[in-house]
Amino acid sequence: MRTFKTESKKLLDLMINSIYTNREIFLRELVSNASDAIDKLYLKSLTDSSMGLDQANLAINVAFDKDARTITVSDNGIGMTEAELEENLGTIAHSGSEAFKEANAEAQGDAVDIIGRFGVGFYSAFMVAKEVSVVTRAWGADECFRWTSDGVEGYEIEPVAADDPAWRDSCGTSIVLTLKDDTEDASYDEFLSEWKLRELIRRYSNYVRYPVQMLVTKSREKERPADAGDDYKPEWEDYTELETVNSMTPIWKKRASEVTDEEYAEFYKSTFHDWADPARTFSLHAEGTLEYDALMFIPGQAPFDLYSRDYEKGLELYSSNVLIMEKCADLLPDYYNFVRGVVDSADVSLNISRETLQQTRQLQAMARRIEKKITGELEAMRDDDREAYEKFFENFGRGLKYGIYSSYGMKADELAGLLLFWSARDQKMVTLREYVAAMPSGQKAIYYAAGDDRDRLSKMPVVQAVLDRGFDVLLCTQDVDEFCFQAMREFTAKGLPKAYADDAAREAAEKAAADGAEPEVEDRTVELRNVTSGDLDLASDDEKKAAEEATKANEGLFGAMKDALGEKVEKVAVSTRLSADGAPAVITSEGPLSLEMEKVLASGPEAEHAPKAVRVLEVNAAHPVFEKLRAAQEAGDEDKVALYAGLLYNQALLVEGILPEDPVAFASQVCELM
């Protein structure tokens, strides 16, 4: 027995038990090696026309014997001599394919794609096999050799006699794995089935460029006997047939003009196990220092577990048409976690084996380009097919908003333009840019209201007050909306028609445009304001003056109301946002924490420690109720003032969708008033 070169025991144990963690990839590695062997033979035929190689006959064969507990992977590639067996399989981590690839780099092209790289893939066979036998015959050689090892101490190389059943009549290699016995912790019998082997080939090696063939069992109806009577019942029989079980040509390598929408949809549904067609399909082909192909899909519906902790994002990553990772999370940002697809590149940096990916600038460059492509496709969908985009946003918009919030607003420039919100004025979904473009002169901010119900929000006094002034309000009903806007703080609408300070400037610009000049555009940055927060600065000078006078004239009343409400409010003030026929009072907040944010935080896991909004009770001095308050204060009826203050406060809370702290006491107060 010959011993392995290098520190055989330690290194081989590392190869088998540490580098690879998923034992089922052994078949992927052996099929990839077989593909390389055929590629080498084909490349040789390109420079030696006397070989007379028939490319149509090049194939890889996979078979199993359940009784003998063996799996055989055969190819009719270039084969190996005794010296090559010694060099390639006797020296661990020596890659014959890698050396061949470097030596023949200029001769390779689209027709040849050597997969191997590190020379450790072959040893993955020992994860499932207690013995591996390699029978090979090199091109042009008369001798056939067998390499045998148990993967522990060493190996043997011996010639194969012509009368040996293992003798090969032509060049190529056959690898026979004798599987390990089952244990309590591991079952190896699962690999001794037609279904399992076909499933592994289709998952990992479906796009290897050569046919991977297997004898598969099929069923057919027996021929009806000539003398069969009317009561004859059809009989069926099983038979085996050699079948190609891989697709060979990746759909992402084809030109878009060669693939129909139906074929893309079928690939998407079968690959990613979705019953609905994708909402959008797009591809990316990069050339230069880093070459790769990508085919991506935006699902037509959100998976049920999209927002659960168990959901895994990522694109399928292939290297030279061989599946490396089923979900490469590093290729997608979290806010695009819904995108499905494949990326294929021979240039990705693998770490020792095809199972481990290095974190490199190459991967980062691919991720940036993919992110930019996804953003561009979403923008195109938003502009060209609004109905489809609104459906997409209904499914996945929450993730885009969370992307802005989780990045502390750093991703707002990329994502804010993709957001949609319900316009209270226009009664439809609008983008932030559309909102800003429709703002009347004099409007200083984007106004929004956050809550859990659109209909309730539209009826809120603070919303109506803004609408009455001719300004639109965005109605936000997702719990992440308020946090998203707080992270953004402002929005810049780019490329809007320029707003002119006076009629003369506008007329001059219109004349210039009529003479052929390009219309002037500008970027407009506006603040985002919650209609329940602080002073919106919507009041006229006269309204502000009237509020100041009312506040000064009723300091005693407001002080008594504040004393009655205690720590529930920071202060009681005259509202400048409510009209005479509006609500008698509203609850607003001061500082960064709004009432809606308080509600969301209070429903979370840290509800006991959730912060509270700084509440302000704004009273409508033009409402008849205010006169009742003044009358009670002037009459010295402190109990009635306290009663009215509590009723107004709890009523304002209900309008905000917040239950009074003591609903029973509130009901009693209403009954007392009645």
Side-chain angles (χ1 to χ4, degrees):
M1 175 178 287
R2 312 182 195 189
T3 58
F4 288 111
K5 295 178 181 178
T6 73
E7 292 286 341
S8 60
K9 273 190 174 182
K10 294 180 180 178
L11 189 55
L12 190 57
D13 181 72
L14 178 66
M15 298 297 159
I16 298 171
N17 299 313
S18 299
I19 290 179
Y20 293 105
T21 57
N22 182 7
R23 66 187 182 191
E24 66 182 20
I25 56 87
F26 78 92
L27 190 57
R28 177 192 71 183
E29 299 300 315
L30 298 183
V31 169
S32 297
N33 289 346
S35 176
D36 285 349
I38 298 175
D39 262 341
K40 293 174 186 176
L41 182 65
Y42 178 67
L43 186 59
K44 184 177 181 65
S45 73
L46 296 179
T47 57
D48 186 356
S49 57
S50 64
M51 291 177 61
L53 184 67
D54 185 359
Q55 189 178 2
N57 292 329
L58 298 176
I60 302 165
N61 187 276
V62 177
F64 70 97
D65 185 328
K66 201 164 188 176
D67 296 330
R69 294 181 60 77
T70 61
I71 296 174
T72 304
V73 179
S74 303
D75 66 70
N76 50 3
I78 199 166
M80 288 179 282
T81 63
E82 182 179 10
E84 289 170 335
L85 272 176
E86 174 76 26
E87 182 180 23
N88 294 334
L89 301 187
T91 304
I92 299 173
H94 172 81
S95 175
S97 292
E98 180 72 2
F100 183 89
K101 189 173 184 178
E102 293 174 357
N104 296 273
E106 295 182 0
Q108 292 188 70
D110 292 339
V112 178
D113 187 11
I114 301 298
I115 300 172
R117 186 168 298 183
F118 299 104
V120 300
F122 169 79
Y123 302 98
S124 66
F126 289 106
M127 289 193 296
V128 298
K130 60 185 178 183
E131 182 180 87
V132 176
S133 175
V134 180
V135 177
T136 184
R137 180 177 178 180
W139 168 261
D142 296 328
E143 294 179 297
C144 184
F145 292 93
R146 178 189 286 112
W147 179 98
T148 307
S149 175
D150 61 1
V152 179
E153 295 290 346
Y155 58 94
E156 292 182 353
I157 299 178
E158 59 183 1
V160 179
D163 59 350
D164 191 317
W167 169 267
R168 292 187 61 96
D169 293 327
S170 61
C171 67
T173 303
S174 298
I175 302 176
V176 182
L177 282 63
T178 303
L179 298 191
K180 296 178 180 179
D181 297 324
D182 288 350
T183 65
E184 292 184 2
D185 299 326
S187 171
Y188 300 94
D189 284 347
E190 64 173 327
F191 299 114
L192 295 171
S193 72
E194 176 188 314
W195 176 86
K196 183 63 175 180
L197 293 177
R198 289 180 65 175
E199 191 261 338
L200 292 181
I201 293 169
R202 287 176 175 171
R203 182 190 303 176
Y204 295 106
S205 307
N206 199 32
Y207 305 109
V208 168
R209 67 173 62 240
Y210 299 105
V212 181
Q213 300 175 334
M214 280 184 65
L215 275 176
V216 299
T217 302
K218 298 184 177 181
S219 182
R220 63 188 172 194
E221 186 178 347
K222 290 183 177 180
E223 186 177 350
R224 181 188 177 102
D227 58 349
D230 294 338
D231 58 347
Y232 173 77
K233 294 182 179 179
E235 296 182 0
W236 296 79
E237 64 179 356
D238 291 337
Y239 70 101
T240 57
E241 181 177 271
L242 191 64
E243 182 179 281
T244 298
V245 295
N246 65 322
S247 299
M248 290 181 282
T249 305
I251 194 172
W252 57 85
K253 290 290 182 69
K254 297 179 180 179
R255 295 180 180 178
S257 59
E258 299 174 348
V259 186
T260 65
D261 292 341
E262 290 74 18
E263 288 173 327
Y264 277 134
E266 185 57 37
F267 171 80
Y268 165 77
K269 289 187 284 189
S270 62
T271 304
F272 301 106
H273 312 295
D274 195 350
W275 58 268
D277 289 346
R280 198 171 184 90
T281 301
F282 52 98
S283 58
L284 174 63
H285 178 68
E287 296 181 341
T289 55
L290 180 62
E291 297 186 0
Y292 57 92
D293 295 285
L295 177 62
M296 290 170 282
F297 305 90
I298 295 175
Q301 61 177 7
F304 70 93
D305 60 342
L306 178 63
Y307 296 110
S308 71
R309 291 184 178 180
D310 297 331
Y311 181 80
E312 293 182 60
K313 67 170 183 174
L315 302 176
E316 289 190 351
L317 179 62
Y318 287 75
S319 179
S320 299
N321 299 348
V322 176
L323 180 63
I324 306 304
M325 298 178 68
E326 289 189 326
K327 291 186 177 180
C328 182
D330 295 320
L331 289 175
L332 285 177
D334 287 342
Y335 42 85
Y336 287 154
N337 63 350
F338 52 84
V339 176
R340 316 296 291 273
V342 299
V343 177
D344 188 357
S345 175
D347 297 328
V348 292
S349 298
L350 306 178
N351 188 8
I352 300 181
S353 74
R354 274 187 282 268
E355 195 182 27
T356 310
L357 193 66
Q358 289 183 353
Q359 303 298 318
T360 65
R361 292 182 179 178
Q362 294 172 324
L363 192 66
Q364 294 170 358
M366 290 170 62
R368 286 194 298 269
R369 181 78 181 274
I370 288 170
E371 178 183 354
K372 187 175 180 180
K373 180 66 175 179
I374 296 171
T375 302
E377 289 294 327
L378 291 176
E379 290 173 343
M381 185 193 298
R382 176 200 64 199
D383 298 337
D384 302 336
D385 191 350
R386 190 54 169 264
E387 183 178 352
Y389 187 77
E390 289 188 10
K391 183 177 180 182
F392 152 79
F393 194 80
E394 182 181 350
N395 287 325
F396 305 109
R398 179 189 294 271
L400 304 183
K401 297 172 185 176
Y402 188 77
I404 294 176
Y405 166 66
S406 61
S407 66
Y408 302 99
M410 297 296 290
K411 285 296 179 179
D413 288 344
E414 291 88 345
L415 299 177
L418 298 174
L419 304 183
L420 292 179
F421 298 96
W422 184 261
S423 165
R425 181 182 62 194
D426 299 336
Q427 293 293 293
K428 65 177 183 179
M429 300 294 285
V430 298
T431 65
L432 294 177
R433 186 181 187 280
E434 290 167 346
Y435 180 101
V436 175
M439 284 170 47
S441 60
Q443 183 172 349
K444 302 175 182 178
I446 295 174
Y447 299 111
Y448 69 92
D452 53 10
D453 182 78
R454 185 188 299 168
D455 186 57
R456 182 185 66 79
L457 286 174
S458 66
K459 297 175 182 177
M460 286 174 56
V462 286
V463 172
Q464 288 297 322
V466 176
L467 291 173
D468 290 343
R469 295 179 183 271
F471 304 147
D472 195 6
V473 179
L474 300 177
L475 306 182
C476 307
T477 56
Q478 291 186 329
D479 51 10
V480 71
D481 288 335
E482 178 79 3
F483 296 90
C484 172
F485 280 159
Q486 288 284 352
M488 288 175 61
R489 297 185 180 275
E490 61 184 23
F491 172 74
T492 300
K494 298 181 179 181
L496 292 179
K498 184 174 179 60
Y500 298 99
D502 52 56
D503 293 342
R506 187 185 69 256
E507 290 171 0
E510 291 174 351
K511 184 178 183 303
D515 293 337
E518 288 290 330
E520 291 186 285
V521 296
E522 64 180 0
D523 295 344
R524 206 173 303 162
T525 300
V526 291
E527 187 182 359
L528 292 155
R529 296 292 302 273
N530 190 319
V531 293
T532 65
S533 65
D535 183 9
L536 298 181
D537 196 21
L538 297 178
S540 65
D541 291 340
D542 290 341
E543 289 172 329
K544 292 178 181 178
K545 184 178 180 181
E548 290 175 2
E549 292 175 351
T551 300
K552 187 174 181 179
N554 296 279
E555 288 181 355
L557 171 61
F558 295 144
M561 294 176 69
K562 172 65 176 74
D563 292 340
L565 295 173
E567 295 183 356
K568 295 177 181 178
V569 298
E570 178 69 17
K571 64 181 179 181
V572 179
V574 173
S575 178
T576 59
R577 71 186 82 207
L578 298 175
S579 60
D581 56 350
V586 293
I587 292 289
T588 61
S589 62
E590 291 184 344
L593 189 64
S594 69
L595 295 173
E596 181 61 24
M597 289 182 72
E598 177 188 307
K599 285 167 55 180
V600 174
L601 294 173
S603 63
E606 300 293 330
E608 294 182 4
H609 307 289
K612 300 290 185 181
V614 179
R615 300 179 180 183
V616 175
L617 179 62
E618 293 190 11
V619 180
N620 186 352
H623 197 281
V625 167
F626 187 67
E627 293 302 320
K628 296 288 186 181
L629 281 165
R630 290 182 59 187
Q633 173 69 13
E634 291 173 358
D637 193 341
E638 296 180 0
D639 292 340
K640 183 172 286 188
V641 170
L643 173 64
Y644 286 174
L647 284 171
L648 286 176
Y649 174 75
N650 286 322
Q651 169 200 295
L653 284 181
L654 288 173
V655 171
E656 289 290 337
I658 303 174
L659 286 176
E661 295 178 6
D662 190 346
V664 175
F666 175 64
S668 298
Q669 289 173 339
V670 173
C671 292
E672 181 181 344
L673 184 65
M674 294 174 65

